[in-house]
Amino acid sequence: MTDNAQPTPPHPVAPPEAPAPDSVPPAPDFTPLPAPPRDRRVLRAVLRWTAAVVVFAAVGTGTAYGIVSQERTDVPGLSTLSDGRWDYPKLTKPVLPAGAPLPFDQTNPAEIHYADLEQLLLPAPAGSTPDPALRGERGRVPFDRFTGQYVSDERDSLLEHLTESRARHVVARGWTMPDGTSARIFLLRFHTSAIAGDFFDTQMGGSPDTTLQPNGVEEMSSYDDAYDVKAKVTSTERYVYDEAAPRGPVHVRHAYITAGDTVAFVVFSRKGEVPRVPFHQTVVLQNQLLG
């Protein structure tokens, strides 16, 4: 071989063939495998509980006191849309102060309503005209506005017992409807349910012959047998009356509700006859707000 001789190039070597797609080894995968079905159920449950916690946290420091939404067909004893019910707004119970128990909770033996009493007062229905005599600040009125609902010879004794019982305050709301029906609601708050119950038993009574006589009642009131016995609210009592015949020119219906530390008085009056349906409706709704 001479110096000018060129070396023989090596035979070209073909690059290795790429493996078939099916034979490519999988790349390492560090993503977690999906959980089996039962784990997904657990995850959904956790998410639901998380959502619930978020909802409760959104309430803030207050305690939700529940919501009352009374549809027209839900009032016990009333079932049609044209039976004369009044158009009340949707009812919502107020939020309690932070840490305050519900009135009938086991941790609240005095059965105190910690919500502002005026927020537990039934609002007036659509189409009504407010009673200016019951437009107190925050719904609060003097005790004589309540005692003034009864015949004159009952008022002094009733006011004295309110003072002796150390009633805290009274809130009221009244209105008149286009048909002339006058409606008035009073809520009396005491320091405990025992004091409220004693006041009701000794002053209001539980039978027609021992109850105080509201203004306009000619003779006496009797139990309203038409009031639906299914219209009950747990831990409360209601006493519903209708003026007995013979009546004078004004017809009177009235009711009492005892609910823990609070006694409610609902009274309707009208020349001729007080319509039964809206009266019962009003008693049911006010009872629910206090229950």
Side-chain angles (χ1 to χ4, degrees), residues 19-140:
D22 293 339
S23 63
V24 176
D29 187 3
F30 297 101
T31 57
L33 294 176
R38 62 180 179 181
D39 289 340
R40 286 198 296 271
R41 291 195 297 268
V42 172
L43 177 60
R44 287 196 296 269
V46 171
L47 291 175
R48 286 197 298 269
W49 278 105
T50 302
V53 171
V54 171
V55 170
F56 282 112
V59 174
T61 58
T63 302
Y65 194 13
I67 295 177
V68 175
S69 176
Q70 187 70 35
E71 301 296 338
R72 293 179 63 85
T73 54
D74 290 342
V75 179
L78 311 176
S79 59
T80 67
L81 298 179
S82 59
D83 56 10
R85 267 168 286 182
W86 291 345
D87 185 13
Y88 281 103
K90 183 177 180 179
L91 306 182
T92 303
K93 289 186 178 181
V95 174
L96 295 178
L102 294 170
F104 304 110
D105 191 272
Q106 291 183 350
T107 61
N108 186 1
E111 298 181 332
I112 295 172
H113 287 81
Y114 285 98
D116 289 338
L117 194 59
E118 59 272 15
Q119 296 183 32
L120 296 176
L121 190 61
L122 186 67
S128 61
T129 300
D131 183 346
L134 299 181
R135 284 182 173 177
E137 183 179 355
R138 297 174 59 198
R140 298 189 182 189

Side-chain angles (χ1 to χ4, degrees), residues 28 37 40 55 66 68 71 75 109 124 128 146 149 152 161 166 187 206-207 211 223 242-243 248 251 255 265-266:
R40 286 198 296 271
V55 170
V68 175
E71 301 296 338
V75 179
S128 61
F146 167 69
Q149 301 301 306
S152 58
H161 282 87
R166 298 173 59 209
L187 303 184
S207 62
T211 56
Y223 285 126
D242 184 12
E243 183 182 3
H251 178 206
F265 175 53
V266 181

